[in-house]
Amino acid sequence: MHRLFRWKKPILYALLFALAFSAGIGAARWNNWKAWETAAASDGNWGLHFTKDGEAPTGNASNEELKTNQACFMDDTHDKIIYLTFDCGYESGNTPAILDALKKHQAPATFFVVGTYIKSNPDLIRRMVEEGHTVGNHTYHHPDMSKLSTQEAFLKELKDVEAAYEEVTGQAMLPFYRPPQGKYSQSNLKMAQELGYQTFFWSLAYVDWYQDKQPREADALKLLTKRIHPGAVVLLHNTSSTNAAIMDELLTKWEEMGYQFRPLEELAAKLSV
């Protein structure tokens, strides 16, 4: 669902291909990476470029640019802070284990959910709230929001999720929004802002959403620990069996690296300054 930049010059594909195989990366994993990266071709897809392990990536928009519309993709800080977020399109049975690990580490997270997820999993939504997590808005139907030209259509995608959440929890939903697939335009970032929403992209993610191509646990741990950085907004998917299996160990490793977990509300407050 979420995308990386596409390299502009075809020769880079050949170079990366050779490097991948020389490092012992098999063809299947190379093709998996290339499919993810290539799918990010069109304009308006959120993308990242990493240059050095342990340091923040660059996005296809800066935080300064995004902040004009109450949006961001990370916290501009040198402090070892992590904001955990999960995108929830459906339930595959892995969310309880993720919640168990978060509870063990007292790590707050934000779950960006679609409307049908709330309708189908009210008990899990209530558990998220009861255990101190935030539930954010990932739209009702998970459309390409950059193609919604009217504020009325944009508003309905968000308001229907709000209504479903309030029906299940009896509480108003915080106005935190993540565009499906990271697809956005300046006009719909502005729409979200005008509706009182803050938009959150991410500064660390990996290919964890293919149910039949789940990453190896060791590979996932290696990538997520080497690319973590101060102020990271981490995007993971609740559907991933790999995420469920590694969550306790991953949180432990990040803690051993000196990182602390903070609720997204703290980053939201910085956006409002």
Side-chain angles (χ1 to χ4, degrees):
M1 296 191 323
H2 302 288
R3 316 294 194 237
L4 289 173
F5 281 142
R6 175 165 58 176
W7 295 101
K8 300 300 182 182
K9 296 180 180 180
I11 193 171
L12 288 174
Y13 279 120
L15 177 60
L16 288 171
F17 186 84
L19 290 173
F21 275 91
S22 67
I25 299 174
R29 270 184 276 168
W30 165 259
N31 289 333
N32 189 30
W33 180 88
K34 187 171 70 171
W36 183 33
E37 180 268 345
T38 303
S42 62
D43 292 337
N45 284 4
W46 181 247
L48 298 169
H49 177 61
F50 289 85
T51 56
K52 187 175 181 180
D53 292 346
E55 293 187 1
T58 55
N60 54 358
S62 69
N63 259 347
E64 288 185 3
E65 293 169 325
L66 292 171
K67 191 174 180 180
T68 61
N69 290 313
Q70 285 288 291
C72 70
F73 74 101
M74 57 170 285
D75 187 354
D76 292 317
T77 181
H78 295 295
D79 296 333
K80 287 191 169 184
I81 293 170
I82 296 173
Y83 302 94
L84 292 170
T85 71
F86 295 85
D87 282 5
C88 306
Y90 61 95
E91 182 52 45
S92 61
N94 293 302
T95 305
I98 291 171
L99 286 168
D100 289 345
L102 293 173
K103 185 176 182 179
K104 176 180 176 180
H105 290 264
Q106 297 183 320
T110 297
F111 292 84
F112 286 98
V113 302
V114 298
T116 50
Y117 187 90
I118 299 175
K119 292 287 189 180
S120 301
N121 303 280
D123 290 341
L124 282 175
I125 294 293
R126 284 188 284 265
R127 179 180 172 185
M128 292 170 189
V129 174
E130 290 167 1
E131 295 183 359
H133 304 297
T134 300
V135 177
N137 201 320
H138 202 36
T139 74
Y140 200 91
H141 297 101
H142 204 268
D144 179 349
M145 295 291 277
S146 69
K147 297 187 182 303
L148 299 185
S149 58
T150 68
Q151 192 173 61
E152 180 182 7
F154 192 94
L155 175 63
K156 182 171 175 56
E157 280 292 334
L158 299 181
K159 288 296 182 182
D160 285 355
V161 177
E162 291 178 12
Y165 176 81
E166 188 166 357
E167 181 179 348
V168 166
T169 66
Q171 302 177 18
M173 175 176 263
L174 285 176
F176 295 172
Y177 163 61
R178 172 164 288 157
Q181 302 182 59
K183 293 184 176 182
Y184 72 101
S185 66
Q186 290 299 316
S187 62
N188 62 39
L189 289 180
K190 184 66 175 177
M191 286 181 190
Q193 181 187 19
E194 291 173 347
L195 294 170
Y197 271 84
Q198 293 175 312
T199 301
F200 296 94
F201 293 100
W202 58 92
S203 62
L204 177 56
Y206 80 118
V207 186
D208 63 349
W209 58 86
Y210 293 120
Q211 290 300 102
D212 58 344
K213 294 181 181 179
Q214 279 292 287
R216 295 191 310 182
E217 294 173 18
D219 292 339
L221 284 166
K222 182 178 179 180
L223 178 65
L224 292 169
T225 52
K226 79 175 185 177
R227 285 191 170 174
I228 197 63
H229 57 87
V233 175
V234 179
L235 162 61
L236 302 171
H237 286 84
N238 73 309
T239 55
S240 168
S241 58
T242 296
N243 288 342
I246 70 170
M247 192 56 52
D248 182 20
E249 184 177 359
L250 177 62
L251 298 180
T252 298
K253 285 181 177 293
W254 279 338
E255 288 169 335
E256 290 172 348
M257 295 169 71
Y259 282 92
Q260 298 180 339
F261 308 108
R262 293 284 187 265
L264 201 59
E265 287 87 335
E266 290 189 13
L267 182 54
K270 294 182 180 183
L271 269 182
S272 300
V273 174

